[in-house]
Amino acid sequence: MGQLDVVGSVEEGVDKLKELYAASCGRARECVATGDYARYNEVLYPKIAVRITQWRPIDRSQPFGYVDEAGTYSAVISRPDMMEAYLRHQLECLAANYPCEISVGYSDVGIPPEYIRGHGPVSEARRTDIPRPTLDDVHDAIIDGDWDAFHSPEKPLFHFGPQRFDIACERIEHYTGIDVESVQRYILFTNYDMHTREFVRFGLNELAREGTRYTALLLPNGRRITPADVLDVDAVAADVTSSYQMPRYDLVAENNSGVTMINIGVGPSNAKTITDCLAVLRPECWIMIGHCAGLDARMRIGDLILGNAYERRDHVLNNHIERELPIPAIPEIQRTLEKAVKRIYGDEEQALMRTGTVLSTDDRNWEWQTPRDLWAWLRGSTAVAVDMESSTIAANGYRYRVPYGTLLAVSDLPLHAVPKLPAAAQAFYSNSKEAHVMCAVRTMERLAKNPERLRTRKLRRTQGEVPFR
């Protein structure tokens, strides 16, 4: 146990990771099925180590696949089958940049049976030496640049430990209602059912279109719609309701290059919860589309705000990223969103959209203050809009090195005697939802054509970085 064997190539290394993990899962299922746990000490996560034998300068435009010094970089891996394409690409980049030796074998970290697909129920009377899914092994020390994580004999290769990865996958399924394997690499967040309905409508139309790149639409109610059966589905009446807390809709394309939309509900806590989980899958980007309060009296209901800065009064990430640290906009996403708005809104775009700072608060009723208190709260702020999720999604994107963006629609102007009231809000929702969703979807489609442009150096830190993206 714990002995790593040198492999001859990246392909052989990834294949061996998959083989070892599958063997461990097979042993675990057998132990659980028979109740004979004698061999459960052999149920271990696989480990990969890359020994960089010589450091040399590389093309400085490369956003990942580099190291600061020669040495051994390692990771204990879960679900290498699901992450196969990612692992191959990252290892190929590293091997192309430096002379290195790749080794693979079992780690000394046991896999709790709860994290193994098809394990069956685990008896409460199981032996004490059978690993449990303890939260002691779930942390973000690598992501957050912990000193000890980066100053051990082996430096980290990947961002997450295996139990952190596994619990995130379990929670994605728990919150969203769909197996984690079908999460697409381009993710849209909303907090409105009407946006998910428009997304489903778009997906059904795409599946019915000849030459579409999409292969299926997965709904959180368990329904899977393919091009073969899409003509039997009424786009308007399609049942997209869900009992899950954050229902998810996957418009599937080859190699998970399609678009996922998740209704995350309201508030920064939900936004942090789901991005904490999705980050382990290393998506290409995520974008928030939602509504906001406009702060400028020149604005109109339905105007669009393209967030280019974030004022964080959401509090949920203060222990991970100091509030004073700036969260930069990602130009590649900004430009693409702007082009999508121009294509969809045409000549209206110049008057309709503005860029600016989005202030995110954890107080849904922030505007329920006296004019004097609001004046004091906003005095000196650069914000043009207020919402509850965008800064959280951007800050966690920065933290997890996942490109992010925000496109909000102004739904009320509370400082200018236009509060959000039911009649006006419903009229605005009805008139704006399709165009708003399509701006975001077209942005994702354009980005998916050239994902390399998203793999930016702007999300890499001076310290505390791993070789993988």
Side-chain angles (χ1 to χ4, degrees):
M1 302 297 178
Q3 178 65 41
L4 305 188
D5 297 321
V6 176
V7 297
S9 66
V10 166
E11 184 175 359
E12 183 182 343
V14 175
D15 286 345
K16 188 167 183 180
L17 283 173
K18 292 165 56 184
E19 176 189 329
L20 295 178
Y21 181 78
S24 277
C25 291
R27 280 192 289 273
R29 293 186 191 102
E30 183 179 341
C31 289
V32 172
T34 63
D36 179 7
Y37 288 96
R39 295 184 60 211
Y40 206 93
N41 63 344
E42 299 175 25
V43 178
L44 303 167
Y45 290 107
K47 177 180 177 178
I48 185 166
V50 180
R51 186 169 69 89
I52 307 296
T53 57
Q54 179 186 353
W55 184 89
R56 62 191 181 197
I58 65 168
D59 177 0
R60 60 182 180 272
S61 68
Q62 294 192 29
F64 51 87
Y66 64 85
V67 296
D68 292 331
E69 60 184 356
T72 300
Y73 297 78
S74 66
V76 179
I77 299 293
S78 183
R79 300 300 302 274
D81 52 327
M82 189 170 69
M83 300 296 288
E84 179 177 2
Y86 170 84
L87 292 170
R88 287 184 191 277
H89 186 217
Q90 301 309 302
L91 289 167
E92 285 167 357
C93 290
L94 200 55
N97 287 333
Y98 305 101
C100 61
E101 179 181 272
I102 300 174
S103 302
V104 176
Y106 279 119
S107 71
D108 58 0
V109 182
I111 309 177
E114 287 84 354
Y115 290 149
I116 294 174
R117 294 294 174 112
H119 63 73
V122 182
S123 169
E124 286 299 317
R126 68 183 180 187
R127 290 172 16 176
T128 57
D129 58 343
I130 305 304
R132 293 178 179 272
T134 171
L135 295 179
D136 293 344
D137 298 317
V138 175
H139 55 77
D140 277 334
I142 299 172
I143 278 290
D144 290 334
D146 180 76
W147 172 271
D148 291 335
F150 286 85
H151 293 82
S152 298
E154 294 183 2
K155 295 178 173 58
L157 183 67
F158 183 52
H159 310 77
F160 304 98
Q163 286 211 33
R164 168 68 169 84
F165 187 97
D166 280 340
I167 196 169
C169 290
E170 294 287 334
R171 288 194 173 179
I172 290 169
E173 296 183 357
H174 169 73
Y175 289 124
T176 70
I178 306 178
D179 288 348
V180 68
E181 288 88 348
S182 65
V183 173
Q184 301 299 288
R185 302 205 314 272
Y186 300 85
I187 301 173
L188 294 174
F189 297 120
T190 182
N191 40 32
Y192 288 97
D193 284 339
M194 63 182 176
H195 286 162
T196 60
R197 290 183 183 279
E198 289 301 322
F199 182 72
V200 169
R201 187 194 304 270
F202 166 77
L204 295 174
N205 289 337
E206 278 295 300
L207 291 175
R209 184 176 64 82
E210 187 174 350
T212 182
R213 76 185 188 96
Y214 299 108
T215 59
L217 176 65
L218 307 185
L219 305 181
N221 60 14
R223 192 167 188 178
R224 178 185 180 91
I225 303 168
T226 67
D229 53 28
V230 70
L231 295 179
D232 297 328
V233 178
D234 182 342
V236 178
D239 179 14
V240 299
T241 58
S242 172
S243 60
Y244 290 93
Q245 184 176 344
M246 301 186 199
R248 186 177 108 224
Y249 305 82
D250 294 333
L251 187 53
V252 178
E254 186 177 3
N255 298 323
N256 291 69
S257 64
V259 184
T260 282
M261 178 177 276
I262 304 176
N263 182 345
I264 64 173
V266 175
S269 180
N270 280 3
K272 178 181 183 297
T273 295
I274 196 63
T275 50
D276 281 347
C277 297
L278 291 166
V280 304
L281 304 179
R282 311 314 297 148
E284 298 288 357
C285 65
W286 53 49
I287 292 176
M288 178 70 196
I289 60 169
H291 294 160
C292 64
L295 299 182
D296 189 329
R298 292 166 294 183
M299 291 179 177
R300 300 291 182 267
I301 301 301
D303 283 0
L304 297 177
I305 304 296
L306 177 58
N308 68 352
Y310 300 92
E311 189 171 335
R312 294 170 49 215
R313 301 196 189 184
D314 50 348
H315 300 115
V316 295
L317 285 168
N318 289 1
N319 290 336
H320 298 279
I321 304 176
E322 293 180 15
R323 182 178 145 182
E324 295 76 17
L325 292 178
I327 303 299
I330 306 300
E332 293 81 0
I333 290 182
Q334 299 294 101
R335 289 192 292 265
T336 311
L337 277 168
E338 194 167 4
K339 289 175 182 176
V341 172
K342 190 167 188 174
R343 281 199 305 274
I344 289 171
Y345 284 90
D347 294 339
E348 290 183 82
E349 178 264 341
Q350 189 168 1
L352 184 76
M353 189 183 77
R354 66 181 290 179
T355 58
T357 300
V358 177
L359 184 159
S360 293
T361 175
D362 54 3
D363 180 2
R364 175 60 189 87
N365 297 321
W366 62 270
E367 66 267 52
W368 294 9
Q369 304 181 56
T370 67
R372 183 187 184 95
D373 289 340
L374 281 173
W375 180 282
W377 191 63
L378 292 170
R379 181 169 56 87
S381 172
T382 62
V384 299
V386 177
D387 82 339
M388 298 189 70
E389 300 85 20
S390 293
S391 293
T392 310
I393 285 167
N396 236 11
Y398 175 77
R399 177 176 168 233
Y400 286 119
R401 291 71 156 173
V402 176
Y404 46 85
T406 300
L407 184 67
L408 304 176
V410 175
S411 61
D412 56 310
L413 299 159
L415 303 186
H416 310 289
V418 188
K420 186 181 288 186
L421 297 174
Q426 292 305 317
F428 156 65
Y429 296 161
S430 177
N431 293 333
S432 69
K433 59 186 178 181
E434 180 179 2
H436 192 180
V437 169
M438 289 313 302
C439 287
V441 170
R442 296 305 184 196
T443 294
M444 291 305 205
E445 291 193 311
R446 188 177 182 88
L447 292 170
K449 290 180 179 178
N450 183 16
E452 289 295 333
R453 65 194 293 205
L454 280 169
R455 295 165 187 174
T456 170
R457 289 177 292 168
K458 300 173 184 68
L459 293 180
R460 307 295 284 188
R461 315 289 172 78
T462 302
Q463 296 178 319
E465 278 299 351
V466 301
F468 283 7
R469 176 178 68 81

